[in-house]
Amino acid sequence: MQIHDLPYPDPGVPDARSGPRFLWWLFRNQLDGQLKSLAWGLLHFASVASLPFCVGVAVQAAVDRSGGRLALAGGLMALACVGNAVGDTFLHRSAVTNWITAAARVQQLLGRKAAVLGSALTRRVAAGEVVAVSTGDVEKIGWFVEALSRFTAAAVTIVVVTVGLLVYQPALGVVVAVGLPVLALAVLPLLPRATRRADVQREKAGRATELASDTVAGLRVLRGIGGEDLFLDRYRRASQEVRHAAVRSARMWSLIAAVQVLLPGLLLITVVWHGVRLARDGRIDVGELVTVYSSVMLLTYPLRHFEEIAMAYSFSRPSARRAARVLSLERAMDTAGTRAAETPAGDLYDPRTGLCAPSGSLTAVVCGDPDAAGRLAERLGGHAAQEGTSVLLGGVPLDELPLDSARTAVLVQDKDPVLLSGTLRELLDVPASGSVDPGAALEAAQCQDVLAALVQGSLGAEDPMDARITERGRSLSGGQRQRLALARSLVTDPEVLVLDEPTSAVDSHTEARIAQGVRGLRSGRTTVVFTSSPLLLDRADRVVFLHEGTVVAVGGHRELVRTEPRYRAVVTRETEEETASSAALRAGNGGRHPDEVPDGLRELETLEEIEETA
């Protein structure tokens, strides 16, 4: 895989049982690239290691006054330099390719997992951790994966050179053969402590990232309650903890680097001291001493890769562990598409609650617990947070369909939809049936004032569709973001559209017009709206009331207000005492509240007045 071939057609199925297993899986899936990097690394390090032999031959030729051998040494040195240049160039290219492709594979895996889990991802893993894994962690994982082949090439070179020195000059080769393993293994006792400190640093950095992400996401609310200073102090303390942890980690890595410099120097001193004694006794030639000394000196270069691989593993291990934790998450209900791809049609039925939304109708669902309503909405779209019986669409279990087929059939808009930055045209450029024009969707969602605000806030944008939307729509009010998200959902025109509190942040008059617009635009399509707004409930074909996770009443809004006290309590926000008092008064007044007008509740009269005004 080359960089220009990215993204991967299929990034594969990762081994997410642990961080080390995930790293090994990445390495195995890049075997071709790793072998190329290893080959170029061997050429590079072998060329570097051969330079001392060339220098030794040249020195000995000068001592012996041999022009032929001096020319041979010059030719060998030129060949070694060419090999060094070519090997280093292509080693760098292959290493960077391995790094980028490994990081890209991890990012694709994370993107695929986020698409599969949907909104369940951020309920099971903090949003800040997902951000940390998909940005900084993928770079550290890629670093270790690409460094592994370079480390292998360096280790093979050290072994070969050591064996060559033992054969070339056994008296000095023994010293090198004993000293080099000591140099390579000397840092091992320091690695556990360095790794622990690196883990602490990464954990604190991850928490600081989560805090920053959550603070930015809730900045509007923080400003509203005056909590900026509180969260700023929290982030400042978290940032200082990261700094202290980073300093402690850097001290340990500085000690490891110092050991990597000190011990090779001591080995060089030992080789020179022992070599001079051997040369004085006439047991070795000057050229042989120069060759061995130069070899030991140049071997400190590949030895540095032992430090790098230790550092890369220490930093990538917690990153790989976090990535594996995210990638190991599975949907609560997933049969991996045991049915053939199809887009079923018909009634939407949830066996767990007994909720049924007839095909082609607008069904409103009232649930006293907003969290339970959100979970039910996600389950209707095949995003169940817990295992259980699958929701049926036209008698077909959604969880047995391929994921894209299920999501084509049922679209869920949760109560906090996200607007991505870009133009309005890009926002509405979503997979759709093509039957709903973006202009009609914007009109049904009552976005006229939103378009005007976008044009006013975008320089040089005369067409509202070219107006820019800031990240997450932060420049817009909550109601404006809700309406744009609703328009985007209407454009998709799915077989079943599930809306969770789509108008909770808009005023009553706008809400009444939205109810009318959605009903008209979704005519003939199945729409399920989770709401407790009388304006939306009165526009529904049928209203389903859930109590303690079970359907307890079905009917029209006005009928349920009169006949179901628990429903009336949820819709009119009555307290339990008010509900009991109202029931007692009704029982003593022939089933009618003393303050009621003959033709219905005052709430219904108010509803009619708002509708007439709208």
Side-chain angles (χ1 to χ4, degrees):
M1 171 65 70
Q2 298 298 316
I3 295 176
H4 59 76
D5 295 326
L6 294 174
Y8 287 94
D10 179 11
V13 180
D15 185 350
R17 289 176 290 177
S18 66
R21 288 178 181 271
F22 179 60
L23 290 174
W24 176 242
W25 178 84
L26 280 176
F27 178 82
R28 286 190 292 108
N29 278 270
Q30 287 191 303
L31 196 55
D32 290 344
Q34 297 294 340
L35 291 176
K36 288 180 182 179
S37 183
L38 176 61
W40 291 119
L42 288 174
L43 175 62
H44 169 59
F45 289 122
S47 300
V48 171
S50 65
L51 287 174
F53 174 75
C54 300
V55 172
V57 172
V59 170
Q60 192 61 43
V63 171
D64 296 340
R65 298 179 181 278
S66 173
R69 280 189 294 163
L70 187 62
L72 174 64
L76 292 175
M77 189 173 296
L79 184 62
C81 289
V82 171
N84 181 19
V86 173
D88 190 24
T89 300
F90 285 95
L91 172 62
H92 178 74
R93 286 174 58 89
S94 59
V96 171
T97 299
N98 289 337
W99 188 336
I100 294 177
T101 52
R105 187 187 293 271
V106 177
Q107 285 182 325
Q108 279 189 248
L109 290 171
L110 291 170
R112 184 175 67 182
K113 180 61 65 174
V116 168
L117 293 176
S119 58
L121 175 61
T122 51
R123 287 201 308 270
R124 301 167 68 178
V125 180
E129 183 170 354
V130 178
V131 173
V133 171
S134 60
T135 53
D137 284 340
V138 296
E139 294 185 3
K140 294 177 177 59
I141 292 171
W143 176 26
F144 173 75
V145 171
E146 70 85 12
L148 198 54
S149 56
R150 289 190 290 111
F151 163 74
T152 304
V156 170
T157 301
I158 290 173
V159 172
V160 171
V161 171
T162 303
V163 173
L165 290 178
L166 282 172
V167 175
Y168 177 71
Q169 181 44 254
L172 288 177
V174 171
V175 177
V176 176
V178 173
L180 283 178
V182 174
L183 297 185
L185 302 177
V187 298
L188 289 183
L190 302 176
L191 287 180
R193 181 175 297 181
T195 301
R196 287 194 298 271
R197 292 189 180 185
D199 290 348
V200 171
Q201 177 192 352
R202 300 311 306 163
E203 290 174 3
K204 290 185 179 296
R207 285 198 294 269
T209 303
E210 292 175 16
L211 181 59
S213 177
D214 294 341
T215 302
V216 172
L219 190 58
R220 184 185 294 271
V221 177
L222 291 177
R223 287 175 175 169
I225 63 176
E228 305 103 305
D229 292 339
L230 173 63
F231 275 80
L232 181 61
D233 290 339
R234 289 182 181 178
Y235 182 74
R236 184 180 290 113
R237 289 195 298 270
S239 178
Q240 290 302 312
E241 290 179 2
V242 174
R243 184 178 67 84
H244 290 307
V247 170
R248 283 172 50 82
S249 179
R251 286 173 180 167
M252 185 55 62
W253 289 112
S254 298
L255 177 59
I256 292 175
V259 170
Q260 291 286 311
V261 173
L262 175 63
L263 294 184
L266 293 177
L267 179 60
L268 277 174
I269 293 173
T270 302
V271 168
V272 171
W273 175 76
H274 185 52
V276 168
R277 292 183 58 192
L278 293 176
R280 183 185 303 167
D281 296 339
R283 298 171 56 185
I284 63 173
D285 296 329
V286 175
E288 293 175 332
L289 174 60
V290 172
T291 299
V292 175
Y293 168 79
S294 302
S295 296
V296 175
M297 183 177 65
L298 289 180
L299 281 179
T300 58
Y301 168 56
L303 275 173
R304 299 293 295 181
H305 287 74
F306 283 79
E307 176 192 350
E308 183 190 8
I309 196 65
M311 183 180 293
Y313 180 71
S314 298
F315 277 89
S316 66
R317 192 183 65 169
S319 298
R321 185 170 60 244
R322 279 197 293 268
R325 183 165 61 246
V326 174
L327 294 175
S328 64
L329 299 176
E330 298 292 343
R331 296 175 66 211
M333 299 169 61
D334 190 358
T335 59
T338 54
R339 287 178 177 263
E342 60 174 306
T343 304
D347 296 346
L348 183 67
Y349 176 66
D350 178 28
R352 179 183 295 184
T353 61
L355 169 65
C356 180
S359 175
S361 66
L362 173 60
T363 301
V365 181
V366 177
C367 183
D369 183 359
D371 293 333
R375 290 192 295 270
L376 176 55
E378 291 170 354
R379 189 164 67 249
L380 292 179
H383 307 276
Q386 300 175 348
E387 293 186 359
T389 307
S390 174
V391 172
L392 307 177
L393 178 59
V396 177
L398 285 179
D399 293 318
E400 294 182 7
L401 291 172
L403 194 57
D404 6 348
S405 298
R407 292 185 176 174
T408 300
V410 182
L411 173 66
V412 178
Q413 177 183 304
D414 61 26
K415 64 184 64 178
D416 187 24
V418 175
L419 301 181
L420 301 178
S421 58
T423 64
L424 181 58
R425 192 185 311 279
E426 293 169 341
L427 177 71
L428 300 180
D429 184 17
V430 292
S433 66
S435 301
V436 177
D437 181 71
L442 291 167
E443 183 177 354
Q446 299 300 306
C447 293
Q448 294 82 355
D449 63 313
V450 185
L451 300 182
L454 288 175
V455 171
Q456 185 177 3
S458 300
L459 297 176
E462 298 180 359
D463 186 349
M465 299 299 289
D466 296 326
R468 301 289 302 180
I469 298 174
T470 57
E471 182 185 2
R472 300 180 68 92
R474 299 190 193 282
S475 61
L476 302 173
S477 67
Q480 290 173 328
R481 289 197 299 270
Q482 259 189 351
R483 283 177 280 164
L484 282 180
L486 176 59
R488 179 178 59 187
S489 299
L490 293 174
V491 167
T492 61
D493 190 36
E495 183 67 31
V496 178
L497 177 60
V498 180
L499 304 172
D500 187 7
E501 296 288 353
T503 59
S504 59
V506 301
D507 61 83
S508 300
H509 293 282
T510 303
E511 189 175 31
R513 291 192 291 268
I514 290 176
Q516 184 64 33
V518 171
R519 181 181 178 86
L521 197 62
R522 293 287 300 172
S523 177
R525 292 288 205 180
T526 306
T527 307
V528 181
V529 182
F530 286 81
T531 183
S532 58
S533 166
L535 290 167
L536 288 178
L537 294 171
D538 196 51
R539 292 290 185 183
D541 296 316
R542 68 201 305 260
V543 178
V544 179
F545 175 55
L546 280 80
H547 182 67
E548 295 182 352
T550 306
V551 174
V552 295
V554 179
H557 167 59
R558 305 189 184 211
E559 173 191 355
L560 293 178
V561 167
R562 292 188 177 93
T563 60
E564 179 54 66
R566 291 171 297 183
Y567 176 84
R568 183 171 57 253
V570 173
V571 173
T572 62
R573 276 72 169 178
E574 286 183 354
T575 62
E576 294 182 2
E577 293 78 6
E578 291 173 337
T579 302
S581 175
S582 176
L585 290 173
R586 288 175 182 276
N589 194 39
R592 192 181 67 193
H593 193 286
D595 294 334
E596 285 181 349
V597 293
D599 59 344
L601 295 173
R602 293 185 183 277
E603 179 266 341
L604 296 181
E605 284 190 338
T606 304
L607 174 61
E608 292 169 353
E609 291 173 1
I610 293 176
E611 291 175 344
E612 290 175 0
T613 304

